[in-house]
């Protein structure tokens, strides 16, 4: 039964600087430079303050950026270790790069477990691809140790993690290549877009060329494979208007997360805790239920109370209908996929929305 109260959307991008953006659109249309122009160049420069010091290559979206990054290190027959609990773009990108995904298990926060990654290494392993799930920094130190011990490249799918930080550096600065999203459901909420941070300088040219059909701008000789991954000037302009607001957006998300946690401490569920010293970007509010059987009725109860939620990420990667790859370990990934879901956390939630969400969870009949 519906509560009659307005629906609280699962996600809606933070309110943009509409007037500033409209002025930028006029500039873009007047100059006629619709992609790979000054807005994209300025975005690459300004993002450095958040994810530097690596070279930044703006691309059409994070999925494409992952393909570009993986293609830069791809070798025929090679394997890439990925977590079993992630959005399917991580796995798809490995396939598109011509390599084979190998699933290794996650820890209880849903992050690739370094011990599981180490156990998954085989003679064909080329790289480890960690994921900063929900904005939580992946285990940089643990995964770097495994990568270095076996001579592997270390990459991160940081789609969720713009603004997150490890103890001593921003997410973006730790992997050889890291790939971010600035799309509609992410912190900058642009129309679509992403970028690659290249920390291994020897790969920068390959990534940049991949994003423009394998050639450098101004010439037409292709030195390797490539696609059209150009960012539009409109996406770059929208992201540039959002960037000065990013710190505030992150703080607002952290405050919502803190309210949820404080209010639900006694409920039979768990919200992953980011270790002290690290900073989550709180892209998602992930909840893992003690009893997976509660998920469907609890989500239906929330829906009736006007609270939209999503299951994350069920089925687990190795259980996708079209899964191709090798599974080294996945028990915890499967368990989290069965009991996990995500609640609204975004900049357009009013304090009264947060109150409603908190109350709706507590009112779930099996818990109240
Ligand atoms: C973990 C993960 N990786 C990659 C992507 C792809 O990002 P984009 O939508 O910018 O292609 C997403 C999208 O939500 C994601 O959740």
């Amino acid at each position: 039964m519906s509560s009659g109260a307005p629906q609280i959307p699962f996600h809606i991008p933070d309110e943009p600087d509409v007037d500033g953006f409209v002025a930028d659109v006029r500039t873009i249309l007047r100059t006629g430079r619709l992609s790979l122009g000054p807005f994209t160049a300025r975005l690459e420069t300004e993002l450095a303050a958040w994810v530097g010091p690596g070279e930044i290559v703006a691309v059409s979206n994070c999925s494409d950026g992952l393909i570009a990054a993986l293609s830069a290190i791809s070798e025929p027959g090679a394997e890439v270790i990925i977590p079993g609990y992630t959005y399917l773009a991580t796995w798809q990108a490995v396939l598109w790069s011509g390599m084979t995904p190998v699933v290794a298990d996650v820890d209880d926060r849903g992050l690739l477990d370094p011990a599981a990654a180490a156990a998954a290494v085989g003679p064909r392993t080329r790289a480890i691809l960690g994921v900063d799930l929900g904005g939580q920094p992946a285990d940089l130190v643990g995964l770097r140790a495994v990568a270095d011990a076996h001579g592997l490249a270390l990459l991160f799918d940081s789609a969720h993690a713009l603004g997150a930080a490890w103890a001593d550096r921003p997410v973006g600065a730790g992997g050889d290549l890291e790939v971010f999203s600035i799309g509609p459901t992410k912190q900058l909420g642009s129309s679509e877009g992403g970028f690659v941070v290249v920390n291994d300088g020897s790969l920068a040219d390959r990534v940049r060329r991949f994003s423009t059909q394998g050639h450098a701008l101004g010439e037409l000789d292709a030195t390797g494979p490539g696609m059209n991954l150009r960012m539009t000037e409109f996406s770059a302009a929208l992201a540039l208007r959002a960037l000065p607001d990013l710190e505030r957006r992150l703080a607002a998300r952290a405050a919502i997360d803190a309210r949820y946690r404080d209010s639900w401490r006694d409920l039979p569920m768990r919200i992953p805790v980011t270790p002290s010293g690290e900073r989550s970007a709180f892209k998602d509010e992930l909840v893992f239920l003690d009893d997976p059987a509660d998920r469907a009725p609890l989500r239906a109860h929330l829906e009736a109370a006007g609270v939209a939620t999503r299951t994350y990420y069920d089925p687990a990667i190795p259980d996708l209908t079209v899964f191709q790859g090798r599974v080294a370990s996945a028990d915890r990934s499967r368990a989290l996929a069965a009991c996990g879901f995500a609640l609204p956390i975004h900049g357009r939630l009013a304090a009264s929305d947060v109150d409603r969400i908190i109350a709706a969870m507590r009112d779930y009949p099996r818990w109240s």
Side-chain angles (χ1 to χ4, degrees):
M1 214 201 339
S2 162
S3 66
Q7 179 84 5
I8 299 172
F10 177 71
H11 188 269
I12 180 165
D14 284 65
E15 201 156 346
D17 170 0
V18 176
D19 293 340
F21 178 61
V22 168
D24 294 338
V25 169
R26 287 209 175 88
T27 304
I28 293 165
L29 293 175
R30 265 194 214 112
T31 58
R33 189 74 192 255
L34 304 192
S35 74
L36 284 184
F39 285 91
T40 305
R42 186 149 66 81
L43 182 62
E44 288 179 346
T45 305
E46 292 195 12
L47 283 167
W50 284 94
V51 297
E55 180 167 343
I56 295 170
V57 181
V59 289
S60 35
N61 55 57
C62 175
S63 309
D64 291 344
L66 284 167
I67 297 172
L70 288 159
S71 296
I73 58 148
S74 181
E75 288 167 3
E79 295 180 339
V80 178
I81 295 169
I82 63 167
Y85 186 66
T86 177
Y87 182 53
L88 38 82
T90 316
W91 164 81
Q92 291 275 18
V94 177
L95 288 188
W96 280 106
S97 74
M99 295 191 280
T100 301
V102 175
V103 167
D105 218 347
V106 295
D107 62 16
D108 62 4
R109 294 193 292 137
L111 301 173
L112 183 58
D113 176 2
V121 173
R124 295 174 181 276
T125 310
R126 173 72 182 96
I128 297 173
L129 174 55
V131 177
D132 301 309
L133 186 81
Q136 315 171 84
D139 184 346
L140 169 65
V141 174
L143 294 175
R144 174 55 80 189
V146 179
D148 288 353
H150 296 277
L152 308 174
L154 179 62
L155 285 72
F156 288 100
D157 174 344
S158 302
H160 299 173
L162 179 59
W166 286 294
D168 57 347
R169 68 194 101 161
V171 167
D176 302 319
L177 295 155
E178 299 211 19
V179 191
F180 291 78
S181 176
I182 60 167
T185 61
K186 312 303 188 309
Q187 293 83 321
L188 289 188
S190 195
S191 47
E192 289 292 347
F195 60 94
V196 184
V197 183
V198 189
N199 292 312
D200 175 344
S202 68
L203 300 172
D205 189 52
R206 241 180 281 175
V207 172
R208 206 171 274 286
R209 280 172 177 266
F210 188 96
S211 69
T212 55
Q213 304 287 8
H215 67 80
L217 291 181
E219 3 172 304
L220 277 180
D221 183 24
T223 53
M227 296 164 66
N228 170 8
L229 309 188
R230 291 173 209 126
M231 179 180 281
T232 73
E233 287 284 270
F234 303 109
S235 279
L238 195 49
L240 277 167
R241 290 285 169 185
L243 207 47
D245 195 34
L246 180 56
E247 189 62 53
R248 189 203 59 77
R249 293 181 183 193
L250 295 171
R253 284 165 184 256
I256 293 169
D257 170 78
R259 282 215 55 210
Y260 287 156
R261 270 170 212 280
D262 284 352
S263 310
W264 297 333
R265 279 189 199 292
D266 55 327
L267 298 183
M269 54 172 236
R270 167 173 88 67
I271 300 175
V273 180
T274 298
S276 68
E278 295 183 12
R279 183 188 201 192
S280 173
F282 296 109
K283 187 267 176 189
D284 291 307
E285 187 70 19
L286 277 172
V287 166
F288 299 122
L289 301 172
D290 290 359
D291 183 354
D294 274 322
R295 187 169 67 182
L298 172 59
R299 290 190 64 227
H301 162 81
L302 292 170
E303 179 73 27
V307 179
T309 62
R310 294 220 181 127
T311 53
Y312 270 31
Y313 291 102
D314 191 11
I317 293 294
D319 298 329
L320 297 170
T321 303
V322 295
F323 176 75
Q324 294 165 46
R326 176 160 75 82
V327 183
S329 56
D331 288 355
R332 207 179 274 122
S333 302
R334 290 186 166 117
L336 294 184
C339 73
F341 75 105
L343 286 148
I345 184 164
H346 55 79
R348 295 215 212 181
L349 285 181
S352 56
D353 294 331
V354 176
D355 291 343
R356 267 179 63 198
I357 295 168
I358 289 170
M361 283 282 277
R362 298 207 62 94
D363 285 350
Y364 173 51
R366 278 197 59 191
W367 291 348
S368 51

